[in-house]
Amino acid sequence: MLKGKHIVLGISGGIAAYKSAYLLRLLIKKGAEVQVVITPNGKEFITPATLAALSGKPVVSEFFAANTGEWHSHVDLGLWADLMVVAPATASTIGKMANGIADNMLITTYLSAKEQVMVAPAMDLDMWAHPSTQRNVATLRRDGVIIVEPGSGELASGLSGKGRMEEPENIVAAIESYFSKKETLKGKKVVITAGPTYENIDPVRFIGNYSSGKMGFALAEEFASRGADVTVVAGPVSLQCENGSIHRIDVTSAHQMYDACLSASRDADCVVLAAAVADYAPEVVAETKIKRENVEDMTIRLVRNPDIAAAIGSEKDGRVLVGFALETDHEEENAISKLKRKNLDWIVLNSLRNPEAGFMKDTNKVSVIGASGQEIRFPAKSKREVASDIIDTIMPSLV
Ligand code: PMT
């Protein structure tokens, strides 16, 4: 699985750096080509000579080679890598990665990396538990970095608790799992709706909702990272796609989303409807701005928008259809009713009663309910992790 894969192994300055030599050896034995990038502090814990001998390549640490003045290109390295693994990642390196503080080769390479980045933190238990570290780790997760959680046990300080870098064998298992997932949806076409729709009242006002598009975009990134051919039909949101392979269609209203989605999903294998589509739109849109002085009070007549999920559900034609249900009460009952009414294969229930779920949040807490009655409840996680759980759950219907 790792044969011929290009891996950048980033090593920062912690006592766990001694384990990186073993991690490097395991990767080389599995056929990976590994380029080590070490921080200046990393070299205090393990010598570049050891790492160069094990990898068969000179170790990169400085921006310029001291003897020749040759420039080490972090951009080339970032493009070369199929995966970058930072192990050990100290609290300082995690903080710099989370905040883009590019003062050494490891961080500049991270900022240039086009493919997946994985981080195996290593530090003392109090440093790991500190709100600042946890904030930085959450930022990395949000940025799509895979975190290989540290283990618990005896630490270099003599204390015992969570903070030990995960064992090299387990980091290799996480790397293999990443590469095996990356291929699983190759050749599958997935269409995802994301964000709100805006229904114009006049040229300056609209009816909308609080959806940020984060859930739909997290799904798009996760599907793309598994090799799927992804089209995201996005309402008005300020998000960017990280993965350059994602095809994006921007729309504003429910009617535009309906047209774009039905056309894009004609030959899709799977359609995921994460958008919060306005159910109603003003029957008449004023051509010019409605003036306050001219209207004492106002009634806007609303007409029903087309239901994208139900339209695709009525002619499913082998496509796997996944809807969302955002509920405030009678959650399961309402979600199951939508699942049946719209002829969905799966519905993802999130409740606004849960403070970690719903609009704009970076986290969500969902239950995934299948058409045959199965239900899996997940704890609150980042939206990217929720996307991963959703895809893992529906995978048997997809492959
Ligand atoms: O975007 P975020 O800020 O990250 O927030 C994420 C989210 C809360 C918007 C998302 O997790 C979510 O729950 N999306 C669906 C919200 C919703 O509108 O649910 P609903 O119960 O009204 O609709 C049920 C399903 O039918 C949804 O899949 C919806 O996309 C779809 N639908 C609804 C109306 C319509 N006209 N066409 C549709 O396709």
Side-chain angles (χ1 to χ4, degrees):
M1 166 142 329
L2 298 187
K3 203 166 169 47
K5 295 285 190 240
H6 293 173
I7 298 177
V8 167
L9 175 59
I11 300 177
S12 60
I15 185 67
Y18 80 91
K19 291 189 192 171
S20 309
Y22 186 47
L23 172 61
L24 171 57
R25 206 169 100 79
L26 291 177
L27 293 172
I28 297 285
K29 269 175 77 176
K30 288 193 177 266
E33 222 183 296
V34 185
Q35 174 63 60
V36 175
V37 180
I38 193 164
T39 63
N41 281 341
K43 287 190 284 187
E44 303 289 329
F45 290 90
I46 185 162
T47 69
T50 306
L51 300 163
L54 288 171
S55 65
K57 288 180 194 298
V59 168
V60 174
S61 180
E62 313 301 333
F63 291 110
F64 296 95
N67 46 354
T68 61
E70 182 198 355
W71 183 55
H72 293 135
S73 169
H74 52 87
V75 178
D76 287 351
L77 262 183
L79 291 173
W80 174 84
D82 297 312
L83 175 72
M84 179 173 183
V85 183
V86 185
T90 58
S92 160
T93 286
I94 289 172
K96 287 180 186 177
M97 288 171 76
N99 294 287
I101 300 171
D103 65 351
N104 64 45
M105 259 312 268
L106 191 154
I107 309 292
T108 50
T109 305
Y110 165 64
L111 294 179
S112 305
K114 289 273 169 274
E115 292 285 344
Q116 183 65 53
V117 178
M118 189 178 276
V119 157
M123 63 199 77
D124 210 46
L125 76 163
D126 294 321
M127 293 176 82
W128 173 251
H130 197 280
S132 152
T133 307
Q134 289 305 310
R135 233 179 5 252
N136 290 329
V137 169
T139 301
L140 290 186
R141 279 208 168 95
R142 223 170 26 245
D143 292 344
V145 172
I146 297 172
I147 307 291
V148 183
E149 286 271 326
S152 291
E154 203 181 315
L155 300 162
S157 61
L159 297 171
S160 188
K162 188 165 178 173
R164 283 166 67 97
M165 185 174 93
E166 188 48 280
E167 293 307 322
E169 289 84 353
N170 294 338
I171 298 175
V172 171
I175 293 171
E176 287 185 320
S177 152
Y178 161 71
F179 279 115
S180 76
K181 268 187 180 174
K182 192 175 154 76
E183 306 292 317
T184 42
L185 291 175
K186 221 177 172 70
K188 297 286 178 194
K189 185 168 179 201
V190 180
V191 175
I192 298 160
T193 65
T197 64
Y198 288 176
E199 312 301 326
N200 283 351
I201 297 170
D202 69 9
V204 299
R205 302 178 180 94
F206 59 84
I207 295 172
N209 60 66
Y210 294 113
S211 173
S212 62
K214 286 180 184 175
M215 191 64 247
F217 274 62
L219 279 156
E221 296 294 343
E222 189 59 31
F223 269 111
S225 78
R226 299 185 189 205
D229 168 4
V230 177
T231 298
V232 61
V233 181
V237 295
S238 57
L239 302 176
Q240 303 296 326
C241 295
E242 300 280 326
N243 189 315
S245 75
I246 297 171
H247 178 55
R248 171 176 182 164
I249 303 172
D250 287 304
V251 298
T252 304
S253 68
H255 274 278
Q256 289 169 355
M257 187 174 273
Y258 178 90
D259 290 342
C261 196
L262 262 70
S263 146
S265 65
R266 221 162 270 140
D267 57 346
D269 299 287
C270 177
V271 185
V272 184
L273 301 136
V277 187
D279 285 316
Y280 294 90
E283 185 176 37
V284 178
V285 179
E287 279 181 20
T288 53
K289 184 179 174 186
I290 299 167
K291 293 281 187 300
R292 191 173 189 274
E293 309 81 67
N294 302 341
V295 189
E296 185 55 40
D297 49 36
M298 188 193 309
T299 302
I300 300 174
R301 192 179 141 73
L302 301 176
V303 289
R304 199 129 64 135
N305 275 330
D307 188 320
I308 305 163
I312 299 174
S314 68
E315 289 180 44
K316 238 179 353 187
D317 207 12
R319 291 172 289 188
V320 176
L321 195 53
V322 184
F324 271 72
L326 178 64
E327 303 297 336
T328 54
D329 57 279
H330 302 93
E331 286 91 339
E332 278 186 24
E333 194 185 317
N334 289 337
I336 291 167
S337 156
K338 279 177 190 167
L339 174 92
K340 292 187 175 149
R341 218 168 52 237
K342 301 186 188 215
N343 195 24
L344 307 173
D345 298 289
W346 301 91
I347 194 149
V348 180
L349 165 63
N350 41 188
S351 170
L352 276 186
R353 279 205 283 190
N354 193 307
E356 290 161 305
F359 290 131
M360 295 187 283
K361 308 259 163 59
D362 290 323
T363 55
N364 206 354
K365 185 171 185 303
V366 303
S367 300
V368 183
I369 305 171
S372 45
Q374 68 273 46
E375 175 170 354
I376 307 179
R377 291 171 195 201
F378 294 97
K381 296 184 182 185
S382 73
K383 281 189 171 158
R384 183 64 187 261
E385 289 171 307
V386 168
S388 175
D389 287 340
I390 293 168
I391 298 172
D392 286 344
T393 308
I394 68 165
M395 192 65 96
S397 334
L398 265 177
V399 288

